[in-house]
């Protein structure tokens, strides 16, 4: 079929919706097929009685990327999805009883560091903050907002030299420790390595950009509807631009002919003709049946997956005043917790991310609220026996939350997600965080955004560059759309 034919997008997560918005806004005929009954993908939602929970990301950074996605269709994000900036972005609670609120503004943040760590460390923090900003500026156009489907995309010596000069190719823990001395502040700027599936000692310092995004750029949240409001708004924009979204429809096979992509065969036999296809679902699973054999990617021959997580969502029959939206409770252990996770064992003293979205009235009845607790955990590829581990770790987490002052939550309405649940939801290796971001799975070495052997076949989502997270997923969808619109089959 001609390159100008319809585009079928498989998956209505953030990446697929981003691709659909850009393509439909440019006048292309677009059909999005989604196996679930609503948009969202990883950015999903769940209920327990009268309580609603976000089951995906709770952190929204770089809101301008989201605004640009709406803007591609001529829509103003503020009219469709108003956001508020959290204050504090995070509350960091340390095992010694001290805490640090991560807030907006260099001077305000330096004052908090001074109160915790003293004036010398506050001065070091301000210098470090400027270094993070320099690294972000060097990295954004080269490794994040760039199409990595071609090797020559990395052949930008000036940009790479700038990034090297900023320290981007050192190990993250060493990069941070060379500039900060207080262990608590070092943890505050290295725990983000878990977002990319690696311990700070193995992650490249380029991923300090994550710390820049959330500790300097800020963390945002929709004023109503929680994070699930993001894909709902994107789906509405895509449909307004002309895309057709079909829910409860599972793609069974991408069909090809001599010229490349020809159609998408749906479960039940229906055939959707296609001049191009964007696969925006779990890419490892897609290669095990959905895609033609010729679409194989050598980068997925030995995939290295990120750790998973155990998440417990609770409905509370009271408000929780004084709690930050996000509180990270650091355990006493640090290096040992990462070693255990890498070895496929539960962390002996895990750090917990607790989310209390009190300002979102859609999560609970009046006078009530919700609370979610996330603990990093081994994925199903690690060999961990989750049938045995799950009940033990759930009880441990309940006890830990009680010790941290959240009360006895054992009788509260709740929903729990462990690696077995993530696997049932379609995530390879039982992890919602896809591949980790070791060097051999970064930038061009991550699975390609376009098939070299099947013209018209494109990929978007966390498995492709730039990687895991809300902004990277949106960018990957935009890049897939751009390739199609440029005629790069």
């Amino acid at each position: 079929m001609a390159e100008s034919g319809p585009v079928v997008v498989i998956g209505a997560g953030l990446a697929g919706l981003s691709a659909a918005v850009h393509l439909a806004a440019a006048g292309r005929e677009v059909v999005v097929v989604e196996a679930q009954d609503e948009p969202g993908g990883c950015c999903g939602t769940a209920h327990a009685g009268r309580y609603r929970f976000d089951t995906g990301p709770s952190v929204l950074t770089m809101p301008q990327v989201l605004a640009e996605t709406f803007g591609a269709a001529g829509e103003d994000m503020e009219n469709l999805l108003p956001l508020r900036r959290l204050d504090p972005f995070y509350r960091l609670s340390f095992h010694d009883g001290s805490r640090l609120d991560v807030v907006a503004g260099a001077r305000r943040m330096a004052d908090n560091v001074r109160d915790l760590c003293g004036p010398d460390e506050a001065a070091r923090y301000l210098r470090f903050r400027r270094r993070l900003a320099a690294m972000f500026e060097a990295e954004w156009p080269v490794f994040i907002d760039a199409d990595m489907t071609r090797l020559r995309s990395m052949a930008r010596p000036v940009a790479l030299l700038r990034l090297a000069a900023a320290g981007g190719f050192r190990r993250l823990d060493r990069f941070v420790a060379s500039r900060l001395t207080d262990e608590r502040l070092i943890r505050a700027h290295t725990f983000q390595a878990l977002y990319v599936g690696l311990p700070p000692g193995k992650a490249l310092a380029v991923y300090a950009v994550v710390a820049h995004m959330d500790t300097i750029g800020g963390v945002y949240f929709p004023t109503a509807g929680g994070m699930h409001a993001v894909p709902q708004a994107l789906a509405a924009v895509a449909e307004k631009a002309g895309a057709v979204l079909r829910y409860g429809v599972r793609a069974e096979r991408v069909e090809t002919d001599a010229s490349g992509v020809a159609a998408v065969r749906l479960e039940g036999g229906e055939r959707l003709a296609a001049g191009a296809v964007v696969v925006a679902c779990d890419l490892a699973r897609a290669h095990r049946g959905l895609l033609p054999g010729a679409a194989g990617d050598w980068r997925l021959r030995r995939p290295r997956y990120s750790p998973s997580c155990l998440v417990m969502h609770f409905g509370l029959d009271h408000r929780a005043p004084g709690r930050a939206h996000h509180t990270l409770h650091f355990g006493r252990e640090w290096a040992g917790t990462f070693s255990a996770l890498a070895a496929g064992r539960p962390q002996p003293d895990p750090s917990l991310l607790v989310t209390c979205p009190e300002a979102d009235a859609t999560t609970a009845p009046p006078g009530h609220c919700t609370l979610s607790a996330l603990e990093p955990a081994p994925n199903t590829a690690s060999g961990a026996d989750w049938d045995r581990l799950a009940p033990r770790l759930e009880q441990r987490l309940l006890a830990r939350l009680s010790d941290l002052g959240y009360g006895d939550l054992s009788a509260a309405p709740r929903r729990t997600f462990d690696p077995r649940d993530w696997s049932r939801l379609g995530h390879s290796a039982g992890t919602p965080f896809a591949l980790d971001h070791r060097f051999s799975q970064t930038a061009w070495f991550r699975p390609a955004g376009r098939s070299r052997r099947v013209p018209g076949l494109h990929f978007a989502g966390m498995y492709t560059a730039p990687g895991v997270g809300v902004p990277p997923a949106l960018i990957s969808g935009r890049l897939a759309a751009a390739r199609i619109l440029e005629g790069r089959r």
Side-chain angles (χ1 to χ4, degrees), residues 184-201:
R184 294 166 297 182
L185 204 57
I186 292 171
R187 291 189 184 192
H189 291 88
T190 56
F191 79 86
Q192 296 89 350
L194 277 178
Y195 293 164
V196 298
L198 295 170

Side-chain angles (χ1 to χ4, degrees), residues 174-452:
R174 296 176 186 175
F175 170 78
V176 176
S178 69
R179 289 159 176 82
L180 302 172
T181 61
D182 190 288
E183 180 62 28
R184 294 166 297 182
L185 204 57
I186 292 171
R187 291 189 184 192
H189 291 88
T190 56
F191 79 86
Q192 296 89 350
L194 277 178
Y195 293 164
V196 298
L198 295 170
K202 291 187 176 180
L204 292 176
V206 292
Y207 291 112
V209 69
V210 182
H212 177 278
M213 287 180 180
D214 59 15
T215 67
I216 297 176
V219 179
Y220 294 76
F221 198 72
T223 57
M227 287 294 292
H228 188 57
V230 175
Q232 289 179 318
L234 287 170
V237 169
E239 288 186 304
K240 184 177 179 181
V244 175
L245 274 69
R246 298 181 56 181
Y247 301 113
V249 176
R250 185 177 298 277
E252 192 171 72
R253 184 76 174 168
V254 174
E255 296 183 349
T256 61
D257 58 20
S259 64
V261 163
V264 173
R265 181 76 63 177
L266 305 181
E267 199 172 59
E270 183 181 357
R271 184 177 184 271
L272 299 178
V277 171
V278 179
V279 177
C281 54
D282 186 286
L283 190 52
R285 288 201 177 196
H287 277 288
R288 296 194 292 269
L290 175 66
L291 300 177
D297 190 326
W298 60 268
R299 301 166 184 84
L300 279 170
R301 288 175 186 167
R302 296 185 61 190
R304 303 297 181 90
Y305 293 98
S306 291
S308 186
C309 58
L310 168 67
V311 186
M312 297 183 74
H313 302 281
F314 303 92
L316 308 185
D317 61 3
H318 58 275
R319 306 295 288 177
R323 297 285 184 187
H325 186 106
H326 293 302
T327 301
L328 186 64
H329 294 277
F330 287 99
R332 184 177 301 274
E333 289 281 338
W334 190 241
T337 62
F338 295 112
S339 299
L341 203 56
R345 302 191 306 272
Q347 295 184 306
D349 184 20
S351 297
L352 306 180
L353 176 64
V354 177
T355 302
C356 297
E358 267 209 283
D360 182 5
T362 68
T363 65
H368 297 224
C369 70
T370 62
L371 179 151
S372 300
L374 181 152
E375 172 185 327
N379 60 40
T380 58
S382 68
D385 182 357
W386 272 100
D387 289 334
R388 180 182 60 84
L389 279 178
R392 179 166 68 84
L393 293 187
E394 288 178 30
Q395 290 304 310
R396 186 181 73 168
L397 184 51
L398 285 168
R400 177 81 181 280
L401 290 170
S402 179
D403 291 343
L404 290 170
Y406 292 98
D408 182 1
L409 301 176
S410 59
R414 71 177 187 249
R415 286 291 302 271
T416 300
F417 293 84
D418 64 37
R420 298 169 302 177
D421 299 298
W422 301 126
S423 183
R424 284 191 287 267
L425 287 170
H427 299 291
S428 291
T431 174
F433 306 116
L435 305 177
D436 69 33
H437 284 69
R438 66 188 63 212
F439 179 77
S440 60
Q441 294 184 157
T442 293
W444 184 79
F445 299 106
R446 208 160 179 84
R450 174 174 60 92
S451 173
R452 291 185 174 277

Side-chain angles (χ1 to χ4, degrees), residues 16 98 115 120 157 167 172 207 329 409 477:
S98 61
D115 291 342
D120 291 341
L172 178 61
Y207 291 112
H329 294 277
L409 301 176

